[in-house]
């Protein structure tokens, strides 16, 4: 799809800047992971990036381009929280935006003029965020001196260090209250909610154990399951650690990675899990493996099938079901999110989406590979770009999703025919730099109540409007709450 240039759309948040909130002393120290990653590139790559801009092959630095059917409405820059922006969640016309320094709450009832209602300083990467009722959940995956929001960085080799889940009361959106913390093995890189009436179960994904880390010992081949009573969240606790990759020896099961499978990550836990509660299903993206599992008993999930792709997938990052639950899209985060992999050299099958059909019934269901999808707009060697977080766009009878590609921007694509996926809309900015590989771009791009919201690592929150006959029916679907990793049944809700 050719690029079309449009005028840059940017605006400050409407309304008064909310007061920065802290749940402890104001001397909280941001996590060093929040600083933009910069990496030198060769003189040839610098020259190529500048030439591509001059020739119109890619947008200029910070220039916005988009397809005619996907229009940017507004950009809300960072304010008090200057760390890297991360994941998004939604509830009743509010957006909750993670940031390595904490989280920010927007009133998005008027999508053209989002308004900041709170910014909470609580450092700890990645600070992925989810909401359920009056509770907000925040992942901490960096070693801290304690579980407070005024913690400082501390080596994971020290037994007193803390990583895990933090829980806030958001009954007053303008004044979130920190109410509980649960330490989990190897921290919480991401998390997924399995909500019930009285309790919320939290599946905590983490990885990369080390014998030198007292609270992150190998093998680490499962997930932590936390049970959170809604009325007494301070009683939240780990209730199980199901082993998803059983195996003998110090490394457990799962993909052995290199040198057995060169260029493939060794499985030492999961990166992300998506649940489909209406079907009692979950899909796990677990470093070197993709899995399908049964969650009828949320405390004891059971693996149904396990697949690997040791040719094209380097790191199984995330998963998305289609509405009928007969397909799963897995993403490959080749380069760890900081690499420039959207180029001719890398090719169309690496750093891409893998589309799998789910065939069979019950415990005999299998994941069957059908095709890859990757954006075909090549990026410069100074732009980190790879498949990342996205969500379904709820259209009956069609499989369409919106997805973040870091500095590759935002892509809307269809996989109704899982063997022939195709892009139908896009939005992107030009590189942050043509001199260095600087991390930025869209971390998460999700569809919520008629608009697309993208949390850009460096540039802030983007609100986009998609006008296309193929997706227009989705505008009639309204959701009270949306955590993308807890996929709703858009067409059969209470």
């Amino acid at each position: 799809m050719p690029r079309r240039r449009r005028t840059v759309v940017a605006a400050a948040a409407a309304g008064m800047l909310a007061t920065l909130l802290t749940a402890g002393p104001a001397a909280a120290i941001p996590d060093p992971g929040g600083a933009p990653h910069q990496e030198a590139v060769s003189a040839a790559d610098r020259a190529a990036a500048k030439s591509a801009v001059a020739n119109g092959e890619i947008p200029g630095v910070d220039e916005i381009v988009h397809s005619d059917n996907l229009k940017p409405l507004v950009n809300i820059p960072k304010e008090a929280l200057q760390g890297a922006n991360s994941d998004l969640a939604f509830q009743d016309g509010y957006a909750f935006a993670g940031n390595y320094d904490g989280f920010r709450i927007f009133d998005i009832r008027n999508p053209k003029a989002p308004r900041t209602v709170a910014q909470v300083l609580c450092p700890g990467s990645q600070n992925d965020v989810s909401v359920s009722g009056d509770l907000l959940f925040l992942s901490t995956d960096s070693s801290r001196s304690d579980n407070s929001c005024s913690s400082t960085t501390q080596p994971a080799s020290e037994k007193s260090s803390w990583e895990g889940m933090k829980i806030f009361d958001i009954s007053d959106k303008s004044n979130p209250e920190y109410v509980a913390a649960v330490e989990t093995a190897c921290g919480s890189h991401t998390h997924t909610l399995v909500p019930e009436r009285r309790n919320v179960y939290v599946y905590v994904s983490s990885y990369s154990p080390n014998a030198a880390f007292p609270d992150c010992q190998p093998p680490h081949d499962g997930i932590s399951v936390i049970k959170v009573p809604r009325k007494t969240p301070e009683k939240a606790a780990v209730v199980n650690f199901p082993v998803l990759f059983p195996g003998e020896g110090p490394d457990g099961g799962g993909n052995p990675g290199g040198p057995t499978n060169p260029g493939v990550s060794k499985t030492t836990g999961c990166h992300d899990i998506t649940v489909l509660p209406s079907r009692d299903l979950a899909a796990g993206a677990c470093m070197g493996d993709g899995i399908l599992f049964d969650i009828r008993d949320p405390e004891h999930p059971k693996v149904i099938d396990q697949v690997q792709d040791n040719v094209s997938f380097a790191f199984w990052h995330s998963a998305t079901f289609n509405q009928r639950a007969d397909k799963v899209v897995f993403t490959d985060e080749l380069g760890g999110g900081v690499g420039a992999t959207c180029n001719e050299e890398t090719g169309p099958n690496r750093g891409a989406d893998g589309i799998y059909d789910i065939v069979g019934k019950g415990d005999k269901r299998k994941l069957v590979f059908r095709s890859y999808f990757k954006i075909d707009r090549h990026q410069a060697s100074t732009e980190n770009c790879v498949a990342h977080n996205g969500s379904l766009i709820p259209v009956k009878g069609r499989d369409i999703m919106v997805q973040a590609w870091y500095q590759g921007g935002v892509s809307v694509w269809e996989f109704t025919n899982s063997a022939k996926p195709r892009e139908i809309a896009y939005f992107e900015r030009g590189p942050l730099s043509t001199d260095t590989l600087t991390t930025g771009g869209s971390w998460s791009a999700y569809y919520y109540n008629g608009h697309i919201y993208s949390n850009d690592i460096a540039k802030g929150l983007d609100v986009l409007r998609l006008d296309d006959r193929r997706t227009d029916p989705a505008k009639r679907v309204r959701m009270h709450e949306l955590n993308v990793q807890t996929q709703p049944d858009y067409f059969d809700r209470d």
Side-chain angles (χ1 to χ4, degrees):
M1 185 178 291
R3 291 182 170 94
R4 290 180 172 82
R5 282 167 164 71
R6 293 291 183 269
T7 304
V8 172
V9 177
M16 184 174 62
L17 172 64
T19 302
L20 178 67
L21 303 171
T22 60
I29 298 177
D31 191 275
H37 173 84
Q38 290 188 324
E39 185 177 321
V41 298
S42 68
D45 284 341
R46 292 196 299 270
K50 290 178 170 62
S51 175
V53 170
N55 295 334
E57 298 170 12
I58 64 172
V61 172
D62 287 345
E63 180 185 4
I64 286 179
V65 297
H66 59 89
S67 56
D68 289 336
N69 56 353
L70 184 58
K71 294 180 172 59
L73 297 182
V74 66
N75 169 262
I76 312 299
K78 294 179 184 179
E79 292 174 348
L81 304 177
Q82 289 296 306
N85 284 327
S86 57
D87 211 3
L88 291 167
F90 305 89
Q91 184 187 84
D92 287 338
Y94 290 85
F96 304 81
N99 180 287
Y100 275 52
D101 289 344
F103 64 93
R104 185 175 180 182
I105 303 177
F106 296 94
D107 181 338
I108 57 170
R109 287 173 288 185
N110 180 357
K112 294 181 180 179
R115 182 176 61 88
T116 300
V117 297
Q119 297 185 78
V120 177
L121 179 63
C122 197
S125 63
Q126 302 188 125
N127 277 343
D128 276 13
V129 62
S130 296
V131 293
S132 184
D134 288 336
L135 300 178
L136 179 146
F137 301 84
L138 201 66
S139 283
T140 299
D141 193 37
S142 57
S143 185
R144 311 296 297 180
S145 56
D146 55 49
N147 65 10
S148 75
C149 283
S150 57
S151 66
T152 59
T153 58
Q154 183 168 289
S157 56
E158 295 189 24
K159 176 61 180 172
S160 63
S161 295
W162 185 91
E163 300 179 65
M165 291 298 308
K166 295 169 181 169
I167 305 171
F168 291 77
D169 185 318
I170 54 168
S171 53
D172 179 357
K173 302 282 192 299
S174 65
N175 188 29
E177 180 185 357
Y178 185 9
V179 295
V182 180
E183 186 171 15
T184 54
C186 299
S188 174
H189 194 73
T190 64
H191 68 270
T192 304
L193 305 186
V194 185
E196 295 185 340
R197 181 168 296 180
R198 294 182 179 180
N199 305 297
V200 180
Y201 288 97
V202 186
Y203 290 169
V204 176
S205 296
S206 55
Y207 54 92
S208 295
N210 189 307
F213 300 163
D215 297 321
C216 184
Q217 291 286 297
H220 182 72
D221 46 13
I223 58 174
S224 297
V225 179
I226 298 173
K227 183 178 181 179
V228 184
R230 289 189 185 275
K231 292 185 177 180
T232 54
E234 66 276 7
K235 296 181 179 179
V238 174
V239 293
N240 195 15
F241 187 87
V243 175
L244 304 178
F245 303 97
E248 298 180 358
D251 296 327
N255 199 318
T260 303
N261 297 316
V264 177
S265 293
K266 176 182 176 180
T267 298
T268 59
C270 290
H271 179 276
D272 212 336
I273 291 169
T274 293
V275 297
L276 192 57
S278 63
R279 305 295 183 101
D280 291 324
L281 274 180
C286 303
M287 306 182 72
D289 295 85
I291 59 174
L292 184 71
F293 52 104
D294 184 317
I295 60 167
R296 280 176 291 182
D297 179 351
E299 288 191 25
H300 302 90
K302 182 177 68 173
V303 174
I304 299 171
D305 195 28
Q306 175 181 352
V307 292
Q308 298 178 358
D309 179 348
N310 294 317
V311 175
S312 294
F313 261 47
F315 187 92
W316 295 68
H317 175 275
S318 52
T320 303
F321 288 100
N322 69 335
Q323 180 62 37
R324 293 179 60 188
D326 58 9
K327 299 172 189 171
V328 181
V329 174
F330 288 104
T331 66
D332 171 27
E333 195 183 43
L334 174 68
V338 298
T341 71
C342 295
N343 49 42
E344 189 173 3
E345 179 183 0
T346 303
N349 296 340
R350 304 186 70 235
D353 296 314
I355 305 165
Y356 286 74
D357 286 349
I358 301 174
V359 301
K361 295 182 179 181
D363 290 348
K364 295 185 178 181
R365 283 171 286 191
K366 297 291 183 183
L367 293 163
V368 178
F369 174 76
R370 295 303 304 276
S371 67
Y372 298 106
F373 171 78
K374 188 174 182 180
I375 59 173
D376 60 4
R377 296 179 309 283
H378 288 165
Q379 310 295 310
S381 294
T382 59
E383 295 179 275
N384 61 305
C385 176
V386 74
H388 212 235
N389 295 342
S391 76
L392 287 185
I393 297 179
V395 180
K396 276 190 176 181
R398 305 186 84 141
D399 298 326
I400 301 175
M401 69 179 289
V402 58
Q403 186 175 10
W405 288 80
Y406 290 115
Q407 287 193 70
V410 174
S411 175
V412 178
W413 61 287
E414 181 168 6
F415 59 104
T416 304
N417 181 342
S418 53
K420 294 183 178 180
R422 58 178 182 147
E423 185 175 73
I424 62 176
Y426 71 88
F427 161 89
E428 69 169 289
R429 288 184 172 86
L432 288 169
S433 170
T434 54
D435 292 314
T436 61
L437 174 53
T438 304
T439 300
S442 179
W443 178 290
S444 297
Y446 299 146
Y447 187 93
Y448 177 70
N449 290 358
H451 290 81
I452 290 170
Y453 298 86
S454 167
N455 209 19
D456 188 291
I457 293 171
K459 298 297 183 181
L461 183 74
D462 288 303
V463 185
L464 312 172
R465 181 176 175 87
L466 178 64
D467 293 299
D468 189 290
R469 60 177 177 78
R470 293 163 289 193
T471 59
D472 284 346
K475 295 176 183 178
R476 297 191 292 269
V477 178
R478 313 302 288 183
M479 302 299 299
H480 153 64
E481 192 170 87
L482 179 64
N483 301 294
V484 168
Q485 289 75 27
T486 306
Q487 276 192 227
D489 186 330
Y490 289 100
F491 304 111
D492 186 19
R493 306 187 307 276
D494 293 332

